[in-house]
Every structure is written in structure tokens, then in C-alpha cells.
Amino acid sequence: MPDLIEIRQVTKVFGRGATEVHAFGPVDLAIEAGQFVSLLGPSGCGKSTLVLMLAGLLERSAGTIRIGGKEVTGPQTDIGIMFQDNTLVPWRTVRGNVELQLEMRGMPPKPHADRVMSLLRAVHLEDFAERHPHELSGGMQQRAAFCQAMVHDPRIMLLDEPLGKLDAMTRERIRSDLQQLWMQQRPTVLFVTHSIEEAVQLSTQVAVITPRPGRIDRLIPIDLPFPRDLAVKNSPTFVGHVREIQEIFRGFGVI
Amino acid sequence: MASVLSEEPSLVAAIQGAIKQSWLFIAFFIGFFLFWEYSVVIFDIPRYILTPPSEVVRNGWADLDRLLYYTWITGVETLLGYVVAVVIALPLGLAIAFSSILRRTVYPFFVCLEMTPKIAFAPLFISWLGFGLLPKVIIVFLVCFFPIVLNAILAFNSLSEELTRFCRSTGAGAWRTFIKVRLPAAMPQCFVGFKYAAINATVGAAIAEFIGSDQGLGFYIQIVTGNMRPDLAFAGIFFLTLLGLSLFGAVTLAERLLIPWHISVRRAAGT
């Protein structure tokens, strides 16, 4: 199977001359379709920068990025994207926000009503479809944002610390919802996080990123069955992966 | 019948709730006017300096025809100046927000002008254009224009980075992005400008009339004060306040109708 995403020698440098900051790279990464890859690294290592460059929302300083064999030169529309601060608009209901994704693409929302509702049901928001974002908790808002990012059935999902602002218990619950959704729909996911456990629990592969300028230190395949419930998380393999990654970060001096 | 019966207690409860919440304010309000009423008698203040509110009401009522007519005159000046300011400032703010050339030329110019007191131009406009309606409309326009245009620029420039990226990732064109995201997102900040301008509009009209006019509430207040009639001056101030409140109320109502979601968002945020 050919790789869906090919990242070659990609580098990002901010500023020029004396104020130049080498933020990221060079990085090589190849991702097969249907994989769930976590970019795991300390704050400021440039994980988000890579996601933005992949989405075509930020120009790279050097290197090539190909999606499905086609070079990324501008904003990619065949992706679903999520940020730490969600992109729900306050004037629309939860359903309206999910439909906004369709309307922005010139797709009438009516024929897709079933899909919208089934997505909301998958994240337990079916009873909140007609509520506005400010009436929801932070966790529910991020669930709604998942639906918004997935409703157009993208091949690729770029999730930039979507759980970053949530409390630990809410994170735990949404993680399992996210895993369910991924298992059902099987998009290719690039997931940015700085939680080791989160990365190991969700991913088929974990890319461990060094401190700035970020480089991929190691690509660790996580060979554990899905869904990864509490039993899996207590297994020696899981704990072993977490330890292994902790050792790497200790080597960097970040923990 | 059942529904009427069930609604009645809730209405009574609502009124009781309102009284419970604001009785202190109402008491203070009544206390203030009682103090005013009797301090004039107790401290033996001459009536040409200060008149009790009861006389303001009585004498104002006697002069109601003139007061209402002048309220109409000042109201037309205020409304015309305000509406013209909205009609010009809003699209201009939009243009400045999206054009880098305008942002580097007109915008700093407006920021400088915002610092100058617009009222200071009033004598010039009166001398150029005479005592009629036009110079007053221009003064009101000047007073209202800057808060609206500056808030509009801020409004259309302040879409969050995440939403901007979201819009770009959908591949939507500029027009669709504007209608579906940028315009509604900008409305609350635009209304900040609309409301601020509404508060100041009557100030502009009144001062323009002080400087040169033969009708209107500003003219009235000046003339009756000259005739040692503070009672009528207060009556004029009352109608001027009423005018300002009406305009502000209308703008607030428009905000409620146009962006009902914003009020509940603001309430949820506790601001």
C-alpha cells in the first residue's frame, strides 16, 4: 500500500537574518492510509507547525509534503482539522455548527441530516443538537467540534491538541469516544499531544519529537489491540511503551 | 381559563421579583427627588437658581407644546446624523479592515482625528453653513462616526486564528466566508460602536444648538437659563435625556433582534 502522506526534509524557519528562529525539522515521515499517528513532544517543539504545514495553512521553508501523491501547495480541503481552541461559532447551535462545515463547502445540509445526527449520537450529543456552544461544557464543545471536523468525511484528520484544555477525567472519556469514531470510520489521523499515555493509548504509531528545533527522534509502532480499554492500559506492553518514551524524554532533559 | 389562572401568579411573582431586586434603587431614586424638593425649601434657595422638581413638572407641562416641538427638531438632527454615520462608517470600517492600503493611510488619520474633540469643530460648521439643520447633522455625524468606524475596523479584524484556518481549510471563497463567518462574528463589536455613538449623539446635537441655533432643545435650554428659568431648563434636559434613552433603547433592541445569541453568550460569560 503506498503511503498516503509523505513528508520529506520538511523544515520551518521563522523570521530572517539575526532574528531567525529554526523552529522545526528537517523531518521525514511517511504515513499509510488508516493509521493513527501521534506527534508527541514537549511544548514549543513545532508539532503544531508541522500540522499547519501539512494542512497547507503555513508555508514550509524547505522540503516537500505530498498527500496521495500530490504536492501540498495551498490549503487542503480534503482534511478535517481541530485545534485546542475549537472552531464552533457562538451564533449557531451544535447541529448548525456541524452543518457550517458542509455549507462552507457549498454542500446543502438537508441531505446530510442523517450523517450529522449519527455523528452527534456517536459522541453522545444527540440531546444537545439544538443547544448553543456556550450552554455546553468544555468537553461537550470539543465533542461537537469533532463532529464538525468529520462531517464532510475527510480522508485525513489533523487534531492539534484537541483535548489540551480539558480536565483529566473528561480527557479520558473523550479519548475513548475518539477511538470508537476512528475504529468506525478509519480516517488517517495525525494527533498532536504532549501526553505520553494519550499517545500510546490512541495511536498505531507514536512519533517522538525532540525539543526545538523539533525532529522525529523515533517512530514507535504500538502493537496493541483496539479498543484499548483499561485492561489494555494495564498490560505490560502498554506500560513498557510508556516507560520507553519517558526514558527518551528524560534523555532530552525535558522531564 | 386554566392557562390564564396559571399565568397570573407567575406574573405577580415576576413583578414581586423585580421589586425585590431593585427596591433599593427605587428608594434611592425617590429619596433623591424628595431631597431635591425639600432642600430648596429648607435651605431657602432662590427659585431663579434652583426650582423643586414639582415645579419642573408643572411648568414643563404648561410649556409642553414648545418642548415637544423642540424635541422633534433635536430628534431629527440626532437621528439623521446618527443614521448617516452608521451608513458611511460601517462599510468604510469594513473596507479599511480588508485593505492594507487604507489601513496604512486612512486608518492612522482617523485615529488622530479621534483624539481631537469633534465638538470643537461646531463653531466652524455653524459659520460655514449657518443656523439650519445641516451643521447640526454634521456635528452629530462627526461625534458618531469615529466610534462606529474604529469599532468596525476592530470587529472585522478580530476573527480568531483558529476560525480563519477553519475557513481556509473548507476551501470556501471570500464571499461565503464573509457571509457565514466574518460578518456574524463581527456584529457584537460593531454594536459596541453603535451603542457608544448612540449615547453621544444627543450630546453633539445639544452642543451644536448651544453654539448657534434658533430652535431645538439645546437652544431652548440656553434661552430659558438666560431668562432665569431653571425649571424649564430642567424640563428641556429631561426631554433631551428621553431622546438619548430612546436612541440607545432602539439600538439595544436592534442588537437583541439581529444577534440574539450574543446576549446569552455575554450573560453566560458574566459580563
Side-chain angles (χ1 to χ4, degrees), chain A residues 163-191:
Chain A
L163 313 179
K165 283 194 171 164
L166 305 177
D167 62 272
M169 280 194 186
T170 310
R171 277 180 93 127
E172 194 84 30
R173 283 202 52 198
I174 298 189
R175 251 185 241 169
S176 63
D177 283 347
L178 177 58
Q179 191 156 77
Q180 287 291 334
L181 266 179
W182 175 74
M183 286 166 63
Q184 282 168 23
Q185 320 242 344
R186 273 302 183 127
T188 308
V189 178
L190 205 62
F191 184 81

PDB file of all heavy atoms in Angstrom, chain A residues 163-191:
ATOM      1  N   LEU A 163      -7.634  17.974  23.048  1.00  0.00           N
ATOM      2  CA  LEU A 163      -8.065  17.741  24.421  1.00  0.00           C
ATOM      3  C   LEU A 163      -7.255  18.562  25.410  1.00  0.00           C
ATOM      4  O   LEU A 163      -7.369  18.402  26.618  1.00  0.00           O
ATOM      5  CB  LEU A 163      -7.938  16.247  24.763  1.00  0.00           C
ATOM      6  CG  LEU A 163      -8.516  15.270  23.726  1.00  0.00           C
ATOM      7  CD1 LEU A 163      -8.317  13.833  24.175  1.00  0.00           C
ATOM      8  CD2 LEU A 163      -9.984  15.549  23.499  1.00  0.00           C
ATOM      9  N   GLY A 164      -6.432  19.465  24.857  1.00  0.00           N
ATOM     10  CA  GLY A 164      -5.458  20.182  25.669  1.00  0.00           C
ATOM     11  C   GLY A 164      -6.032  20.963  26.837  1.00  0.00           C
ATOM     12  O   GLY A 164      -5.383  21.090  27.866  1.00  0.00           O
ATOM     13  N   LYS A 165      -7.234  21.495  26.673  1.00  0.00           N
ATOM     14  CA  LYS A 165      -7.755  22.373  27.726  1.00  0.00           C
ATOM     15  C   LYS A 165      -8.735  21.667  28.662  1.00  0.00           C
ATOM     16  O   LYS A 165      -9.379  22.311  29.479  1.00  0.00           O
ATOM     17  CB  LYS A 165      -8.437  23.584  27.079  1.00  0.00           C
ATOM     18  CG  LYS A 165      -7.425  24.607  26.575  1.00  0.00           C
ATOM     19  CD  LYS A 165      -8.063  25.921  26.262  1.00  0.00           C
ATOM     20  CE  LYS A 165      -7.010  26.980  25.987  1.00  0.00           C
ATOM     21  NZ  LYS A 165      -7.589  28.150  25.324  1.00  0.00           N
ATOM     22  N   LEU A 166      -8.880  20.349  28.508  1.00  0.00           N
ATOM     23  CA  LEU A 166      -9.892  19.647  29.295  1.00  0.00           C
ATOM     24  C   LEU A 166      -9.273  19.026  30.544  1.00  0.00           C
ATOM     25  O   LEU A 166      -8.079  18.736  30.591  1.00  0.00           O
ATOM     26  CB  LEU A 166     -10.544  18.565  28.440  1.00  0.00           C
ATOM     27  CG  LEU A 166     -11.152  19.058  27.127  1.00  0.00           C
ATOM     28  CD1 LEU A 166     -11.696  17.887  26.338  1.00  0.00           C
ATOM     29  CD2 LEU A 166     -12.231  20.086  27.383  1.00  0.00           C
ATOM     30  N   ASP A 167     -10.129  18.797  31.544  1.00  0.00           N
ATOM     31  CA  ASP A 167      -9.642  18.168  32.767  1.00  0.00           C
ATOM     32  C   ASP A 167      -9.396  16.676  32.511  1.00  0.00           C
ATOM     33  O   ASP A 167      -9.899  16.096  31.552  1.00  0.00           O
ATOM     34  CB  ASP A 167     -10.644  18.365  33.896  1.00  0.00           C
ATOM     35  CG  ASP A 167     -11.964  17.709  33.582  1.00  0.00           C
ATOM     36  OD1 ASP A 167     -12.814  18.366  32.956  1.00  0.00           O
ATOM     37  OD2 ASP A 167     -12.134  16.528  33.932  1.00  0.00           O
ATOM     38  N   ALA A 168      -8.621  16.059  33.379  1.00  0.00           N
ATOM     39  CA  ALA A 168      -8.124  14.700  33.156  1.00  0.00           C
ATOM     40  C   ALA A 168      -9.255  13.687  32.931  1.00  0.00           C
ATOM     41  O   ALA A 168      -9.178  12.852  32.033  1.00  0.00           O
ATOM     42  CB  ALA A 168      -7.257  14.273  34.336  1.00  0.00           C
ATOM     43  N   MET A 169     -10.333  13.784  33.724  1.00  0.00           N
ATOM     44  CA  MET A 169     -11.409  12.796  33.599  1.00  0.00           C
ATOM     45  C   MET A 169     -12.142  12.942  32.283  1.00  0.00           C
ATOM     46  O   MET A 169     -12.474  11.954  31.623  1.00  0.00           O
ATOM     47  CB  MET A 169     -12.391  12.950  34.758  1.00  0.00           C
ATOM     48  CG  MET A 169     -11.890  12.294  36.002  1.00  0.00           C
ATOM     49  SD  MET A 169     -13.224  12.139  37.183  1.00  0.00           S
ATOM     50  CE  MET A 169     -12.313  11.528  38.577  1.00  0.00           C
ATOM     51  N   THR A 170     -12.405  14.194  31.904  1.00  0.00           N
ATOM     52  CA  THR A 170     -13.084  14.441  30.633  1.00  0.00           C
ATOM     53  C   THR A 170     -12.218  13.951  29.476  1.00  0.00           C
ATOM     54  O   THR A 170     -12.715  13.332  28.536  1.00  0.00           O
ATOM     55  CB  THR A 170     -13.374  15.941  30.480  1.00  0.00           C
ATOM     56  OG1 THR A 170     -14.000  16.397  31.670  1.00  0.00           O
ATOM     57  CG2 THR A 170     -14.285  16.212  29.311  1.00  0.00           C
ATOM     58  N   ARG A 171     -10.933  14.207  29.570  1.00  0.00           N
ATOM     59  CA  ARG A 171      -9.997  13.735  28.536  1.00  0.00           C
ATOM     60  C   ARG A 171     -10.125  12.244  28.337  1.00  0.00           C
ATOM     61  O   ARG A 171     -10.223  11.749  27.223  1.00  0.00           O
ATOM     62  CB  ARG A 171      -8.554  14.038  28.968  1.00  0.00           C
ATOM     63  CG  ARG A 171      -8.088  15.421  28.683  1.00  0.00           C
ATOM     64  CD  ARG A 171      -6.657  15.590  29.148  1.00  0.00           C
ATOM     65  NE  ARG A 171      -5.741  15.301  28.060  1.00  0.00           N
ATOM     66  CZ  ARG A 171      -4.794  16.148  27.677  1.00  0.00           C
ATOM     67  NH1 ARG A 171      -4.645  17.304  28.287  1.00  0.00           N
ATOM     68  NH2 ARG A 171      -4.009  15.842  26.685  1.00  0.00           N
ATOM     69  N   GLU A 172     -10.123  11.541  29.464  1.00  0.00           N
ATOM     70  CA  GLU A 172     -10.197  10.082  29.443  1.00  0.00           C
ATOM     71  C   GLU A 172     -11.430   9.612  28.674  1.00  0.00           C
ATOM     72  O   GLU A 172     -11.351   8.732  27.823  1.00  0.00           O
ATOM     73  CB  GLU A 172     -10.254   9.590  30.893  1.00  0.00           C
ATOM     74  CG  GLU A 172     -10.006   8.114  31.076  1.00  0.00           C
ATOM     75  CD  GLU A 172      -8.514   7.801  31.143  1.00  0.00           C
ATOM     76  OE1 GLU A 172      -7.741   8.669  31.611  1.00  0.00           O
ATOM     77  OE2 GLU A 172      -8.154   6.710  30.711  1.00  0.00           O
ATOM     78  N   ARG A 173     -12.563  10.229  28.967  1.00  0.00           N
ATOM     79  CA  ARG A 173     -13.815   9.804  28.328  1.00  0.00           C
ATOM     80  C   ARG A 173     -13.812  10.139  26.847  1.00  0.00           C
ATOM     81  O   ARG A 173     -14.237   9.339  26.017  1.00  0.00           O
ATOM     82  CB  ARG A 173     -15.015  10.495  28.998  1.00  0.00           C
ATOM     83  CG  ARG A 173     -15.378   9.865  30.326  1.00  0.00           C
ATOM     84  CD  ARG A 173     -16.813  10.163  30.689  1.00  0.00           C
ATOM     85  NE  ARG A 173     -17.733   9.822  29.616  1.00  0.00           N
ATOM     86  CZ  ARG A 173     -18.964  10.276  29.536  1.00  0.00           C
ATOM     87  NH1 ARG A 173     -19.412  11.098  30.461  1.00  0.00           N
ATOM     88  NH2 ARG A 173     -19.743   9.922  28.538  1.00  0.00           N
ATOM     89  N   ILE A 174     -13.346  11.334  26.502  1.00  0.00           N
ATOM     90  CA  ILE A 174     -13.381  11.728  25.099  1.00  0.00           C
ATOM     91  C   ILE A 174     -12.389  10.898  24.290  1.00  0.00           C
ATOM     92  O   ILE A 174     -12.642  10.567  23.135  1.00  0.00           O
ATOM     93  CB  ILE A 174     -13.107  13.240  24.954  1.00  0.00           C
ATOM     94  CG1 ILE A 174     -14.208  14.013  25.668  1.00  0.00           C
ATOM     95  CG2 ILE A 174     -13.059  13.647  23.489  1.00  0.00           C
ATOM     96  CD1 ILE A 174     -14.186  15.480  25.432  1.00  0.00           C
ATOM     97  N   ARG A 175     -11.280  10.527  24.910  1.00  0.00           N
ATOM     98  CA  ARG A 175     -10.315   9.667  24.252  1.00  0.00           C
ATOM     99  C   ARG A 175     -10.978   8.399  23.752  1.00  0.00           C
ATOM    100  O   ARG A 175     -10.749   7.967  22.623  1.00  0.00           O
ATOM    101  CB  ARG A 175      -9.242   9.274  25.264  1.00  0.00           C
ATOM    102  CG  ARG A 175      -7.915   9.914  25.033  1.00  0.00           C
ATOM    103  CD  ARG A 175      -6.945   9.327  26.038  1.00  0.00           C
ATOM    104  NE  ARG A 175      -6.416  10.362  26.900  1.00  0.00           N
ATOM    105  CZ  ARG A 175      -5.716  10.118  28.005  1.00  0.00           C
ATOM    106  NH1 ARG A 175      -5.525   8.869  28.419  1.00  0.00           N
ATOM    107  NH2 ARG A 175      -5.242  11.102  28.713  1.00  0.00           N
ATOM    108  N   SER A 176     -11.798   7.772  24.605  1.00  0.00           N
ATOM    109  CA  SER A 176     -12.404   6.507  24.186  1.00  0.00           C
ATOM    110  C   SER A 176     -13.458   6.751  23.099  1.00  0.00           C
ATOM    111  O   SER A 176     -13.599   5.940  22.183  1.00  0.00           O
ATOM    112  CB  SER A 176     -12.984   5.745  25.383  1.00  0.00           C
ATOM    113  OG  SER A 176     -14.014   6.481  25.961  1.00  0.00           O
ATOM    114  N   ASP A 177     -14.167   7.883  23.198  1.00  0.00           N
ATOM    115  CA  ASP A 177     -15.104   8.239  22.115  1.00  0.00           C
ATOM    116  C   ASP A 177     -14.356   8.417  20.797  1.00  0.00           C
ATOM    117  O   ASP A 177     -14.794   7.946  19.746  1.00  0.00           O
ATOM    118  CB  ASP A 177     -15.828   9.556  22.435  1.00  0.00           C
ATOM    119  CG  ASP A 177     -16.918   9.352  23.464  1.00  0.00           C
ATOM    120  OD1 ASP A 177     -17.263   8.192  23.729  1.00  0.00           O
ATOM    121  OD2 ASP A 177     -17.412  10.360  23.996  1.00  0.00           O
ATOM    122  N   LEU A 178     -13.225   9.108  20.892  1.00  0.00           N
ATOM    123  CA  LEU A 178     -12.417   9.381  19.702  1.00  0.00           C
ATOM    124  C   LEU A 178     -11.946   8.060  19.083  1.00  0.00           C
ATOM    125  O   LEU A 178     -11.973   7.883  17.861  1.00  0.00           O
ATOM    126  CB  LEU A 178     -11.227  10.254  20.108  1.00  0.00           C
ATOM    127  CG  LEU A 178     -10.209  10.616  19.032  1.00  0.00           C
ATOM    128  CD1 LEU A 178     -10.888  11.331  17.895  1.00  0.00           C
ATOM    129  CD2 LEU A 178      -9.116  11.484  19.623  1.00  0.00           C
ATOM    130  N   GLN A 179     -11.544   7.127  19.968  1.00  0.00           N
ATOM    131  CA  GLN A 179     -11.078   5.844  19.470  1.00  0.00           C
ATOM    132  C   GLN A 179     -12.213   5.079  18.773  1.00  0.00           C
ATOM    133  O   GLN A 179     -12.006   4.503  17.710  1.00  0.00           O
ATOM    134  CB  GLN A 179     -10.546   5.017  20.642  1.00  0.00           C
ATOM    135  CG  GLN A 179      -9.812   3.798  20.193  1.00  0.00           C
ATOM    136  CD  GLN A 179      -8.827   3.341  21.252  1.00  0.00           C
ATOM    137  OE1 GLN A 179      -9.219   2.741  22.238  1.00  0.00           O
ATOM    138  NE2 GLN A 179      -7.572   3.639  21.063  1.00  0.00           N
ATOM    139  N   GLN A 180     -13.401   5.124  19.370  1.00  0.00           N
ATOM    140  CA  GLN A 180     -14.570   4.480  18.749  1.00  0.00           C
ATOM    141  C   GLN A 180     -14.809   5.038  17.354  1.00  0.00           C
ATOM    142  O   GLN A 180     -14.983   4.293  16.394  1.00  0.00           O
ATOM    143  CB  GLN A 180     -15.826   4.736  19.604  1.00  0.00           C
ATOM    144  CG  GLN A 180     -15.882   3.950  20.898  1.00  0.00           C
ATOM    145  CD  GLN A 180     -16.091   2.469  20.647  1.00  0.00           C
ATOM    146  OE1 GLN A 180     -16.649   2.091  19.632  1.00  0.00           O
ATOM    147  NE2 GLN A 180     -15.598   1.635  21.564  1.00  0.00           N
ATOM    148  N   LEU A 181     -14.809   6.361  17.271  1.00  0.00           N
ATOM    149  CA  LEU A 181     -15.072   7.017  15.988  1.00  0.00           C
ATOM    150  C   LEU A 181     -14.025   6.609  14.954  1.00  0.00           C
ATOM    151  O   LEU A 181     -14.339   6.323  13.801  1.00  0.00           O
ATOM    152  CB  LEU A 181     -15.051   8.534  16.167  1.00  0.00           C
ATOM    153  CG  LEU A 181     -16.388   9.204  16.422  1.00  0.00           C
ATOM    154  CD1 LEU A 181     -16.202  10.687  16.595  1.00  0.00           C
ATOM    155  CD2 LEU A 181     -17.339   8.935  15.258  1.00  0.00           C
ATOM    156  N   TRP A 182     -12.769   6.595  15.391  1.00  0.00           N
ATOM    157  CA  TRP A 182     -11.695   6.243  14.470  1.00  0.00           C
ATOM    158  C   TRP A 182     -11.843   4.797  13.992  1.00  0.00           C
ATOM    159  O   TRP A 182     -11.653   4.494  12.820  1.00  0.00           O
ATOM    160  CB  TRP A 182     -10.336   6.448  15.146  1.00  0.00           C
ATOM    161  CG  TRP A 182      -9.190   6.002  14.305  1.00  0.00           C
ATOM    162  CD1 TRP A 182      -8.691   6.627  13.199  1.00  0.00           C
ATOM    163  CD2 TRP A 182      -8.420   4.809  14.477  1.00  0.00           C
ATOM    164  NE1 TRP A 182      -7.649   5.904  12.669  1.00  0.00           N
ATOM    165  CE2 TRP A 182      -7.466   4.779  13.445  1.00  0.00           C
ATOM    166  CE3 TRP A 182      -8.455   3.770  15.414  1.00  0.00           C
ATOM    167  CZ2 TRP A 182      -6.545   3.748  13.316  1.00  0.00           C
ATOM    168  CZ3 TRP A 182      -7.529   2.751  15.293  1.00  0.00           C
ATOM    169  CH2 TRP A 182      -6.582   2.735  14.247  1.00  0.00           C
ATOM    170  N   MET A 183     -12.217   3.899  14.928  1.00  0.00           N
ATOM    171  CA  MET A 183     -12.379   2.489  14.560  1.00  0.00           C
ATOM    172  C   MET A 183     -13.517   2.309  13.561  1.00  0.00           C
ATOM    173  O   MET A 183     -13.435   1.463  12.675  1.00  0.00           O
ATOM    174  CB  MET A 183     -12.630   1.645  15.816  1.00  0.00           C
ATOM    175  CG  MET A 183     -11.380   1.451  16.654  1.00  0.00           C
ATOM    176  SD  MET A 183     -11.767   0.823  18.298  1.00  0.00           S
ATOM    177  CE  MET A 183     -12.480  -0.765  17.899  1.00  0.00           C
ATOM    178  N   GLN A 184     -14.579   3.107  13.724  1.00  0.00           N
ATOM    179  CA  GLN A 184     -15.716   3.011  12.793  1.00  0.00           C
ATOM    180  C   GLN A 184     -15.363   3.541  11.412  1.00  0.00           C
ATOM    181  O   GLN A 184     -15.655   2.922  10.406  1.00  0.00           O
ATOM    182  CB  GLN A 184     -16.907   3.806  13.325  1.00  0.00           C
ATOM    183  CG  GLN A 184     -17.690   3.133  14.430  1.00  0.00           C
ATOM    184  CD  GLN A 184     -18.645   4.123  15.081  1.00  0.00           C
ATOM    185  OE1 GLN A 184     -19.015   5.127  14.462  1.00  0.00           O
ATOM    186  NE2 GLN A 184     -19.040   3.846  16.312  1.00  0.00           N
ATOM    187  N   GLN A 185     -14.747   4.721  11.370  1.00  0.00           N
ATOM    188  CA  GLN A 185     -14.605   5.434  10.095  1.00  0.00           C
ATOM    189  C   GLN A 185     -13.221   5.248   9.476  1.00  0.00           C
ATOM    190  O   GLN A 185     -13.053   5.465   8.293  1.00  0.00           O
ATOM    191  CB  GLN A 185     -14.874   6.925  10.301  1.00  0.00           C
ATOM    192  CG  GLN A 185     -16.037   7.194  11.244  1.00  0.00           C
ATOM    193  CD  GLN A 185     -17.167   7.936  10.583  1.00  0.00           C
ATOM    194  OE1 GLN A 185     -17.012   8.512   9.517  1.00  0.00           O
ATOM    195  NE2 GLN A 185     -18.323   7.912  11.210  1.00  0.00           N
ATOM    196  N   ARG A 186     -12.253   4.932  10.297  1.00  0.00           N
ATOM    197  CA  ARG A 186     -10.896   4.671   9.851  1.00  0.00           C
ATOM    198  C   ARG A 186     -10.271   5.768   8.976  1.00  0.00           C
ATOM    199  O   ARG A 186      -9.704   5.483   7.921  1.00  0.00           O
ATOM    200  CB  ARG A 186     -10.829   3.329   9.108  1.00  0.00           C
ATOM    201  CG  ARG A 186     -10.592   2.161  10.073  1.00  0.00           C
ATOM    202  CD  ARG A 186      -9.318   2.380  10.828  1.00  0.00           C
ATOM    203  NE  ARG A 186      -8.990   1.276  11.718  1.00  0.00           N
ATOM    204  CZ  ARG A 186      -7.828   0.637  11.725  1.00  0.00           C
ATOM    205  NH1 ARG A 186      -6.886   0.982  10.897  1.00  0.00           N
ATOM    206  NH2 ARG A 186      -7.609  -0.323  12.583  1.00  0.00           N
ATOM    207  N   PRO A 187     -10.374   7.019   9.388  1.00  0.00           N
ATOM    208  CA  PRO A 187      -9.617   8.046   8.662  1.00  0.00           C
ATOM    209  C   PRO A 187      -8.140   7.935   9.058  1.00  0.00           C
ATOM    210  O   PRO A 187      -7.809   7.254  10.023  1.00  0.00           O
ATOM    211  CB  PRO A 187     -10.211   9.358   9.183  1.00  0.00           C
ATOM    212  CG  PRO A 187     -10.655   9.034  10.568  1.00  0.00           C
ATOM    213  CD  PRO A 187     -11.077   7.586  10.563  1.00  0.00           C
ATOM    214  N   THR A 188      -7.290   8.602   8.307  1.00  0.00           N
ATOM    215  CA  THR A 188      -5.891   8.712   8.693  1.00  0.00           C
ATOM    216  C   THR A 188      -5.787   9.890   9.660  1.00  0.00           C
ATOM    217  O   THR A 188      -6.241  10.986   9.337  1.00  0.00           O
ATOM    218  CB  THR A 188      -5.017   8.978   7.462  1.00  0.00           C
ATOM    219  OG1 THR A 188      -5.326   7.976   6.490  1.00  0.00           O
ATOM    220  CG2 THR A 188      -3.541   8.932   7.804  1.00  0.00           C
ATOM    221  N   VAL A 189      -5.227   9.652  10.827  1.00  0.00           N
ATOM    222  CA  VAL A 189      -5.217  10.705  11.845  1.00  0.00           C
ATOM    223  C   VAL A 189      -3.782  11.089  12.206  1.00  0.00           C
ATOM    224  O   VAL A 189      -2.931  10.220  12.390  1.00  0.00           O
ATOM    225  CB  VAL A 189      -5.964  10.256  13.121  1.00  0.00           C
ATOM    226  CG1 VAL A 189      -5.904  11.345  14.181  1.00  0.00           C
ATOM    227  CG2 VAL A 189      -7.398   9.897  12.812  1.00  0.00           C
ATOM    228  N   LEU A 190      -3.564  12.377  12.274  1.00  0.00           N
ATOM    229  CA  LEU A 190      -2.326  12.905  12.831  1.00  0.00           C
ATOM    230  C   LEU A 190      -2.723  13.675  14.083  1.00  0.00           C
ATOM    231  O   LEU A 190      -3.463  14.652  14.012  1.00  0.00           O
ATOM    232  CB  LEU A 190      -1.639  13.829  11.821  1.00  0.00           C
ATOM    233  CG  LEU A 190      -0.131  13.965  11.986  1.00  0.00           C
ATOM    234  CD1 LEU A 190       0.544  12.628  11.799  1.00  0.00           C
ATOM    235  CD2 LEU A 190       0.420  14.967  10.990  1.00  0.00           C
ATOM    236  N   PHE A 191      -2.240  13.202  15.217  1.00  0.00           N
ATOM    237  CA  PHE A 191      -2.733  13.677  16.508  1.00  0.00           C
ATOM    238  C   PHE A 191      -1.580  14.294  17.289  1.00  0.00           C
ATOM    239  O   PHE A 191      -0.595  13.626  17.579  1.00  0.00           O
ATOM    240  CB  PHE A 191      -3.321  12.472  17.253  1.00  0.00           C
ATOM    241  CG  PHE A 191      -3.963  12.788  18.571  1.00  0.00           C
ATOM    242  CD1 PHE A 191      -5.250  13.276  18.621  1.00  0.00           C
ATOM    243  CD2 PHE A 191      -3.283  12.555  19.763  1.00  0.00           C
ATOM    244  CE1 PHE A 191      -5.868  13.541  19.844  1.00  0.00           C
ATOM    245  CE2 PHE A 191      -3.890  12.820  20.981  1.00  0.00           C
ATOM    246  CZ  PHE A 191      -5.186  13.314  21.013  1.00  0.00           C
TER     247      PHE A 191
END
